Amino acid sequence: MNQDRDVQNLEKRFAELSRLAYQRDIITYSDFLNLNEQNILHTLPKDRIFTRIVSFGGYEMAERQMAAFIPDALYLRYGKKELTRSEIGYPFCALEIVPVNFKFAETLTHRDYLGAVLNLGIERSRTGDILPGEKGALLFVHNDIADFICNELSRIRHTSVRVAKVPLTDVSYTPKVEEIQGTVASVRLDSLLSLAFSQSRSRLTGLISGAKVYVNGRLITSNGYQPQEGDIISVRGMGKFRYEYAGGRTRKNRISVVIGKYI
């Protein structure tokens, strides 16, 4: 019951943001949205949305994204069919978090970075993706909390860190991809999940029916759903991969497929 109320409140908030943008000819923005929230947004009835919606998370393939509600009047004002990200003006930036002394730094995980930020009293909706790397991490945050994090985040576990702002225009991030080749009886969602995560189809079908699997940001609850080449498939809590293409059939009449798993 509470979950239904949360969904209704979120739908109402999206409709209000779209109506406000339309009435005032301004761009309005959501908080950072997870995959489930993005699915709710993009499945709203058309009669509740009065603007275009363009989402961005700081880099291509970002999982957590901010939605911009853009009235058609602005496209006419700029004389364009599409607006650049600088023209949209998403109100968030990137923060670079690095150890003060690399020699004594621990190996920090996504969970370590996230826990340290949330321990500052910051809500998850105010932060986007966290991208750990060999020398530190990038974190996307609302502009209005960026200075606070820069000033207050000084330690993660036992590692002293420093934090600095990075303009979105300077962010260059390409996810690492592991190519996986295999064969499937048919190009179904459950078969591709089994190949990507090396687990049985019976276990993974529970994830699909449990509303944890998204294709191009849209919730899919059918095991037999057939992805198209180029689709991005995300599983909450496990990761994501791209269905690249299907090849020929083997002697056992199975289909050869290639996927790219983000690591």
Side-chain angles (χ1 to χ4, degrees):
M1 194 70 178
N2 288 336
Q3 186 175 4
D4 291 341
R5 188 179 300 113
D6 290 341
V7 171
Q8 292 172 0
N9 289 338
L10 193 58
E11 291 176 339
K12 181 179 179 181
R13 176 59 177 161
F14 290 148
E16 288 174 347
L17 287 169
S18 182
R19 184 181 295 107
L20 179 63
Y22 172 77
Q23 292 174 342
R24 299 189 181 180
D25 284 342
I26 59 173
I27 301 176
T28 59
Y29 312 90
S30 71
D31 283 336
F32 285 100
L33 306 175
N34 61 31
L35 287 172
N36 186 51
E37 292 164 337
Q38 292 174 51
N39 180 70
I40 293 170
L41 170 61
H42 293 299
T43 53
L44 271 177
K46 292 183 178 180
D47 61 357
R48 299 189 64 182
I49 296 296
F50 310 94
T51 57
R52 303 188 202 185
I53 302 170
V54 181
S55 299
F56 183 52
Y59 67 102
E60 299 300 330
M61 304 298 300
E63 182 166 306
R64 296 177 63 82
Q65 298 194 13
M66 180 180 290
F69 299 83
I70 310 173
D72 287 338
L74 287 187
Y75 289 92
L76 295 175
R77 187 180 307 167
Y78 280 100
K80 295 182 176 182
K81 293 183 179 180
E82 302 292 338
L83 300 183
T84 65
R85 286 166 184 158
S86 61
E87 290 168 341
I88 294 175
Y90 291 95
F92 68 87
C93 66
L95 300 181
E96 184 179 46
I97 307 172
V98 296
V100 172
N101 190 325
F102 286 99
K103 183 178 180 180
F104 300 106
E106 302 164 277
T107 300
L108 300 174
T109 66
H110 181 282
R111 178 176 294 183
D112 295 326
Y113 289 106
L114 177 59
V117 171
L118 297 184
N119 283 340
L120 296 176
I122 292 171
E123 295 181 3
R124 186 66 175 108
S125 63
R126 307 295 286 172
T127 64
D129 283 3
I130 301 172
L131 308 176
E134 294 180 359
K135 297 183 178 180
L138 276 180
L139 164 67
F140 298 93
V141 302
H142 271 265
N143 288 337
D144 57 9
I145 61 172
D147 287 337
F148 174 77
I149 295 176
C150 288
N151 294 329
E152 298 297 325
L153 184 59
S154 59
R155 182 175 293 274
I156 300 178
R157 289 177 56 189
H158 301 294
T159 299
S160 296
V161 298
R162 57 174 174 265
V163 187
K165 292 182 185 179
V166 178
L168 291 180
T169 52
D170 291 348
V171 172
S172 177
Y173 176 77
T174 302
K176 294 180 180 179
V177 179
E178 174 190 5
E179 184 178 283
I180 299 176
Q181 300 181 15
T183 64
V184 295
S186 60
V187 184
R188 291 164 40 117
L189 184 56
D190 52 1
S191 298
L192 294 181
L193 289 179
S194 180
L195 177 62
F197 299 109
S198 301
Q199 296 187 23
S200 67
R201 286 174 57 183
S202 59
R203 165 169 162 69
L204 293 168
T205 53
L207 296 175
I208 298 172
S209 60
K212 293 184 180 295
V213 180
Y214 299 80
V215 177
N216 298 330
R218 293 184 179 272
L219 178 65
I220 302 296
T221 56
S222 169
N223 297 329
Y225 179 86
Q226 294 187 319
Q228 302 298 308
E229 293 181 359
D231 282 352
I232 304 297
I233 300 165
S234 303
V235 183
R236 293 176 65 184
M238 296 186 67
K240 61 185 175 182
F241 63 93
R242 176 186 171 100
Y243 167 43
E244 299 293 355
Y245 60 88
R249 289 186 175 271
T250 68
R251 293 181 179 179
K252 295 184 178 180
N253 203 34
R254 290 174 64 84
I255 303 170
S256 298
V257 297
V258 176
I259 62 175
K261 185 177 180 182
Y262 296 92
I263 56 177

